PDB file of all heavy atoms in Angstrom:
ATOM      1  N   GLU W 751       7.657  22.749  36.506  1.00 96.00           N
ATOM      2  CA  GLU W 751       8.527  23.937  36.518  1.00 96.00           C
ATOM      3  C   GLU W 751       9.963  23.563  36.916  1.00 96.00           C
ATOM      4  O   GLU W 751      10.922  24.100  36.369  1.00 96.00           O
ATOM      5  CB  GLU W 751       7.992  25.002  37.491  1.00 96.00           C
ATOM      6  CG  GLU W 751       6.479  25.235  37.493  1.00 96.00           C
ATOM      7  CD  GLU W 751       5.840  25.538  36.151  1.00 96.00           C
ATOM      8  OE1 GLU W 751       6.571  25.673  35.143  1.00 96.00           O
ATOM      9  OE2 GLU W 751       4.600  25.618  36.095  1.00 96.00           O
ATOM     10  N   ILE W 752      10.090  22.622  37.853  1.00 97.00           N
ATOM     11  CA  ILE W 752      11.434  22.163  38.236  1.00 97.00           C
ATOM     12  C   ILE W 752      12.115  21.516  37.025  1.00 97.00           C
ATOM     13  O   ILE W 752      13.306  21.744  36.759  1.00 97.00           O
ATOM     14  CB  ILE W 752      11.362  21.172  39.413  1.00 97.00           C
ATOM     15  CG1 ILE W 752      10.991  21.922  40.698  1.00 97.00           C
ATOM     16  CG2 ILE W 752      12.699  20.435  39.607  1.00 97.00           C
ATOM     17  CD1 ILE W 752      10.813  21.035  41.924  1.00 97.00           C
ATOM     18  N   ILE W 753      11.351  20.731  36.271  1.00 96.00           N
ATOM     19  CA  ILE W 753      11.908  20.075  35.091  1.00 96.00           C
ATOM     20  C   ILE W 753      12.389  21.122  34.072  1.00 96.00           C
ATOM     21  O   ILE W 753      13.467  20.992  33.492  1.00 96.00           O
ATOM     22  CB  ILE W 753      10.878  19.105  34.466  1.00 96.00           C
ATOM     23  CG1 ILE W 753      10.687  17.902  35.407  1.00 96.00           C
ATOM     24  CG2 ILE W 753      11.320  18.643  33.077  1.00 96.00           C
ATOM     25  CD1 ILE W 753       9.489  17.037  35.074  1.00 96.00           C
ATOM     26  N   HIS W 754      11.593  22.184  33.886  1.00 96.00           N
ATOM     27  CA  HIS W 754      12.018  23.255  32.961  1.00 96.00           C
ATOM     28  C   HIS W 754      13.357  23.849  33.391  1.00 96.00           C
ATOM     29  O   HIS W 754      14.261  24.031  32.571  1.00 96.00           O
ATOM     30  CB  HIS W 754      10.983  24.376  32.936  1.00 96.00           C
ATOM     31  CG  HIS W 754       9.802  24.097  32.067  1.00 96.00           C
ATOM     32  ND1 HIS W 754       9.917  23.760  30.742  1.00 96.00           N
ATOM     33  CD2 HIS W 754       8.480  24.105  32.333  1.00 96.00           C
ATOM     34  CE1 HIS W 754       8.713  23.574  30.238  1.00 96.00           C
ATOM     35  NE2 HIS W 754       7.817  23.771  31.181  1.00 96.00           N
ATOM     36  N   ILE W 755      13.469  24.191  34.670  1.00 98.00           N
ATOM     37  CA  ILE W 755      14.711  24.816  35.160  1.00 98.00           C
ATOM     38  C   ILE W 755      15.884  23.837  35.002  1.00 98.00           C
ATOM     39  O   ILE W 755      16.946  24.205  34.500  1.00 98.00           O
ATOM     40  CB  ILE W 755      14.565  25.280  36.627  1.00 98.00           C
ATOM     41  CG1 ILE W 755      13.678  26.531  36.687  1.00 98.00           C
ATOM     42  CG2 ILE W 755      15.941  25.567  37.250  1.00 98.00           C
ATOM     43  CD1 ILE W 755      13.529  27.149  38.068  1.00 98.00           C
ATOM     44  N   CYS W 756      15.681  22.579  35.407  1.00 97.00           N
ATOM     45  CA  CYS W 756      16.774  21.601  35.345  1.00 97.00           C
ATOM     46  C   CYS W 756      17.208  21.326  33.906  1.00 97.00           C
ATOM     47  O   CYS W 756      18.397  21.258  33.612  1.00 97.00           O
ATOM     48  CB  CYS W 756      16.351  20.298  36.017  1.00 97.00           C
ATOM     49  SG  CYS W 756      16.296  20.443  37.813  1.00 97.00           S
ATOM     50  N   LYS W 757      16.223  21.186  33.021  1.00 96.00           N
ATOM     51  CA  LYS W 757      16.522  20.893  31.624  1.00 96.00           C
ATOM     52  C   LYS W 757      17.303  22.059  30.996  1.00 96.00           C
ATOM     53  O   LYS W 757      18.346  21.863  30.374  1.00 96.00           O
ATOM     54  CB  LYS W 757      15.202  20.690  30.875  1.00 96.00           C
ATOM     55  CG  LYS W 757      15.262  19.693  29.744  1.00 96.00           C
ATOM     56  CD  LYS W 757      13.856  19.400  29.248  1.00 96.00           C
ATOM     57  CE  LYS W 757      13.890  19.053  27.770  1.00 96.00           C
ATOM     58  NZ  LYS W 757      12.550  18.939  27.194  1.00 96.00           N
ATOM     59  N   GLN W 758      16.798  23.273  31.215  1.00 96.00           N
ATOM     60  CA  GLN W 758      17.421  24.420  30.556  1.00 96.00           C
ATOM     61  C   GLN W 758      18.734  24.820  31.220  1.00 96.00           C
ATOM     62  O   GLN W 758      19.603  25.394  30.575  1.00 96.00           O
ATOM     63  CB  GLN W 758      16.437  25.590  30.487  1.00 96.00           C
ATOM     64  CG  GLN W 758      15.222  25.223  29.636  1.00 96.00           C
ATOM     65  CD  GLN W 758      14.421  26.421  29.173  1.00 96.00           C
ATOM     66  OE1 GLN W 758      14.947  27.517  29.029  1.00 96.00           O
ATOM     67  NE2 GLN W 758      13.142  26.206  28.933  1.00 96.00           N
ATOM     68  N   SER W 759      18.872  24.531  32.518  1.00 98.00           N
ATOM     69  CA  SER W 759      20.117  24.863  33.217  1.00 98.00           C
ATOM     70  C   SER W 759      21.110  23.709  33.176  1.00 98.00           C
ATOM     71  O   SER W 759      22.251  23.861  33.628  1.00 98.00           O
ATOM     72  CB  SER W 759      19.830  25.202  34.689  1.00 98.00           C
ATOM     73  OG  SER W 759      18.989  26.311  34.811  1.00 98.00           O
ATOM     74  N   GLU W 760      20.656  22.540  32.704  1.00 98.00           N
ATOM     75  CA  GLU W 760      21.489  21.331  32.680  1.00 98.00           C
ATOM     76  C   GLU W 760      22.007  20.991  34.076  1.00 98.00           C
ATOM     77  O   GLU W 760      23.206  20.843  34.301  1.00 98.00           O
ATOM     78  CB  GLU W 760      22.620  21.478  31.658  1.00 98.00           C
ATOM     79  CG  GLU W 760      22.085  21.605  30.244  1.00 98.00           C
ATOM     80  CD  GLU W 760      23.174  21.823  29.200  1.00 98.00           C
ATOM     81  OE1 GLU W 760      24.319  21.405  29.436  1.00 98.00           O
ATOM     82  OE2 GLU W 760      22.859  22.389  28.155  1.00 98.00           O
ATOM     83  N   VAL W 761      21.077  20.901  35.017  1.00 98.00           N
ATOM     84  CA  VAL W 761      21.403  20.485  36.385  1.00 98.00           C
ATOM     85  C   VAL W 761      20.391  19.447  36.856  1.00 98.00           C
ATOM     86  O   VAL W 761      19.364  19.230  36.210  1.00 98.00           O
ATOM     87  CB  VAL W 761      21.380  21.683  37.376  1.00 98.00           C
ATOM     88  CG1 VAL W 761      22.494  22.657  37.082  1.00 98.00           C
ATOM     89  CG2 VAL W 761      20.024  22.391  37.359  1.00 98.00           C
ATOM     90  N   GLY W 762      20.686  18.797  37.979  1.00 98.00           N
ATOM     91  CA  GLY W 762      19.749  17.902  38.639  1.00 98.00           C
ATOM     92  C   GLY W 762      19.170  18.606  39.862  1.00 98.00           C
ATOM     93  O   GLY W 762      19.472  19.776  40.115  1.00 98.00           O
ATOM     94  N   CYS W 763      18.365  17.877  40.641  1.00 98.00           N
ATOM     95  CA  CYS W 763      17.705  18.531  41.769  1.00 98.00           C
ATOM     96  C   CYS W 763      17.228  17.518  42.809  1.00 98.00           C
ATOM     97  O   CYS W 763      16.785  16.426  42.456  1.00 98.00           O
ATOM     98  CB  CYS W 763      16.500  19.299  41.227  1.00 98.00           C
ATOM     99  SG  CYS W 763      15.535  20.114  42.475  1.00 98.00           S
ATOM    100  N   ASP W 764      17.353  17.881  44.088  1.00 98.00           N
ATOM    101  CA  ASP W 764      16.679  17.155  45.165  1.00 98.00           C
ATOM    102  C   ASP W 764      15.612  18.081  45.735  1.00 98.00           C
ATOM    103  O   ASP W 764      15.927  19.193  46.181  1.00 98.00           O
ATOM    104  CB  ASP W 764      17.670  16.799  46.289  1.00 98.00           C
ATOM    105  CG  ASP W 764      18.316  15.433  46.060  1.00 98.00           C
ATOM    106  OD1 ASP W 764      17.983  14.777  45.050  1.00 98.00           O
ATOM    107  OD2 ASP W 764      19.158  15.035  46.892  1.00 98.00           O
ATOM    108  N   LEU W 765      14.370  17.627  45.700  1.00 98.00           N
ATOM    109  CA  LEU W 765      13.245  18.390  46.244  1.00 98.00           C
ATOM    110  C   LEU W 765      12.769  17.662  47.489  1.00 98.00           C
ATOM    111  O   LEU W 765      12.523  16.450  47.430  1.00 98.00           O
ATOM    112  CB  LEU W 765      12.123  18.456  45.200  1.00 98.00           C
ATOM    113  CG  LEU W 765      10.740  18.918  45.681  1.00 98.00           C
ATOM    114  CD1 LEU W 765      10.771  20.396  46.037  1.00 98.00           C
ATOM    115  CD2 LEU W 765       9.686  18.659  44.593  1.00 98.00           C
ATOM    116  N   TYR W 766      12.653  18.372  48.627  1.00 98.00           N
ATOM    117  CA  TYR W 766      12.271  17.724  49.884  1.00 98.00           C
ATOM    118  C   TYR W 766      10.771  17.838  50.127  1.00 98.00           C
ATOM    119  O   TYR W 766      10.236  18.935  50.235  1.00 98.00           O
ATOM    120  CB  TYR W 766      13.071  18.321  51.046  1.00 98.00           C
ATOM    121  CG  TYR W 766      14.516  17.923  50.948  1.00 98.00           C
ATOM    122  CD1 TYR W 766      15.442  18.713  50.260  1.00 98.00           C
ATOM    123  CD2 TYR W 766      14.948  16.710  51.466  1.00 98.00           C
ATOM    124  CE1 TYR W 766      16.762  18.317  50.115  1.00 98.00           C
ATOM    125  CE2 TYR W 766      16.266  16.304  51.328  1.00 98.00           C
ATOM    126  CZ  TYR W 766      17.159  17.113  50.661  1.00 98.00           C
ATOM    127  OH  TYR W 766      18.456  16.713  50.514  1.00 98.00           O
ATOM    128  N   GLU W 767      10.128  16.677  50.200  1.00 97.00           N
ATOM    129  CA  GLU W 767       8.673  16.640  50.360  1.00 97.00           C
ATOM    130  C   GLU W 767       8.220  17.423  51.594  1.00 97.00           C
ATOM    131  O   GLU W 767       7.245  18.168  51.538  1.00 97.00           O
ATOM    132  CB  GLU W 767       8.202  15.178  50.480  1.00 97.00           C
ATOM    133  CG  GLU W 767       6.698  15.063  50.595  1.00 97.00           C
ATOM    134  CD  GLU W 767       6.218  13.624  50.723  1.00 97.00           C
ATOM    135  OE1 GLU W 767       6.987  12.768  51.199  1.00 97.00           O
ATOM    136  OE2 GLU W 767       5.062  13.366  50.349  1.00 97.00           O
ATOM    137  N   ASP W 768       8.963  17.251  52.714  1.00 97.00           N
ATOM    138  CA  ASP W 768       8.504  17.891  53.960  1.00 97.00           C
ATOM    139  C   ASP W 768       8.704  19.404  53.958  1.00 97.00           C
ATOM    140  O   ASP W 768       8.240  20.094  54.862  1.00 97.00           O
ATOM    141  CB  ASP W 768       9.177  17.251  55.186  1.00 97.00           C
ATOM    142  CG  ASP W 768      10.686  17.423  55.176  1.00 97.00           C
ATOM    143  OD1 ASP W 768      11.238  17.826  54.126  1.00 97.00           O
ATOM    144  OD2 ASP W 768      11.328  17.154  56.201  1.00 97.00           O
ATOM    145  N   LYS W 769       9.374  19.939  52.934  1.00 97.00           N
ATOM    146  CA  LYS W 769       9.584  21.394  52.862  1.00 97.00           C
ATOM    147  C   LYS W 769       8.540  22.092  51.987  1.00 97.00           C
ATOM    148  O   LYS W 769       8.453  23.323  51.994  1.00 97.00           O
ATOM    149  CB  LYS W 769      10.974  21.700  52.283  1.00 97.00           C
ATOM    150  CG  LYS W 769      12.133  21.106  53.075  1.00 97.00           C
ATOM    151  CD  LYS W 769      12.436  21.919  54.309  1.00 97.00           C
ATOM    152  CE  LYS W 769      13.706  21.478  54.973  1.00 97.00           C
ATOM    153  NZ  LYS W 769      13.464  21.057  56.370  1.00 97.00           N
ATOM    154  N   ILE W 770       7.776  21.337  51.214  1.00 98.00           N
ATOM    155  CA  ILE W 770       6.821  21.956  50.286  1.00 98.00           C
ATOM    156  C   ILE W 770       5.753  22.713  51.088  1.00 98.00           C
ATOM    157  O   ILE W 770       5.058  22.121  51.908  1.00 98.00           O
ATOM    158  CB  ILE W 770       6.152  20.890  49.383  1.00 98.00           C
ATOM    159  CG1 ILE W 770       7.208  20.201  48.509  1.00 98.00           C
ATOM    160  CG2 ILE W 770       5.082  21.525  48.505  1.00 98.00           C
ATOM    161  CD1 ILE W 770       6.681  19.013  47.721  1.00 98.00           C
ATOM    162  N   PRO W 771       5.625  24.026  50.872  1.00 98.00           N
ATOM    163  CA  PRO W 771       4.684  24.806  51.684  1.00 98.00           C
ATOM    164  C   PRO W 771       3.228  24.557  51.278  1.00 98.00           C
ATOM    165  O   PRO W 771       2.859  24.709  50.108  1.00 98.00           O
ATOM    166  CB  PRO W 771       5.093  26.259  51.405  1.00 98.00           C
ATOM    167  CG  PRO W 771       5.773  26.230  50.082  1.00 98.00           C
ATOM    168  CD  PRO W 771       6.381  24.866  49.916  1.00 98.00           C
ATOM    169  N   LEU W 772       2.407  24.162  52.265  1.00 98.00           N
ATOM    170  CA  LEU W 772       0.992  23.881  52.018  1.00 98.00           C
ATOM    171  C   LEU W 772       0.157  24.668  53.031  1.00 98.00           C
ATOM    172  O   LEU W 772       0.486  24.701  54.210  1.00 98.00           O
ATOM    173  CB  LEU W 772       0.710  22.385  52.203  1.00 98.00           C
ATOM    174  CG  LEU W 772       1.459  21.399  51.305  1.00 98.00           C
ATOM    175  CD1 LEU W 772       1.220  19.971  51.799  1.00 98.00           C
ATOM    176  CD2 LEU W 772       1.042  21.542  49.849  1.00 98.00           C
TER     177      LEU W 772
END
Side-chain angles (χ1 to χ4, degrees):
E751 318 306 355
I752 288 177
I753 290 167
H754 279 305
I755 287 184
C756 287
K757 213 170 150 188
Q758 297 197 27
S759 299
E760 296 177 26
V761 293
C763 178
D764 270 359
L765 166 70
Y766 291 91
E767 182 180 26
D768 62 348
K769 301 282 189 239
I770 297 172
L772 300 171

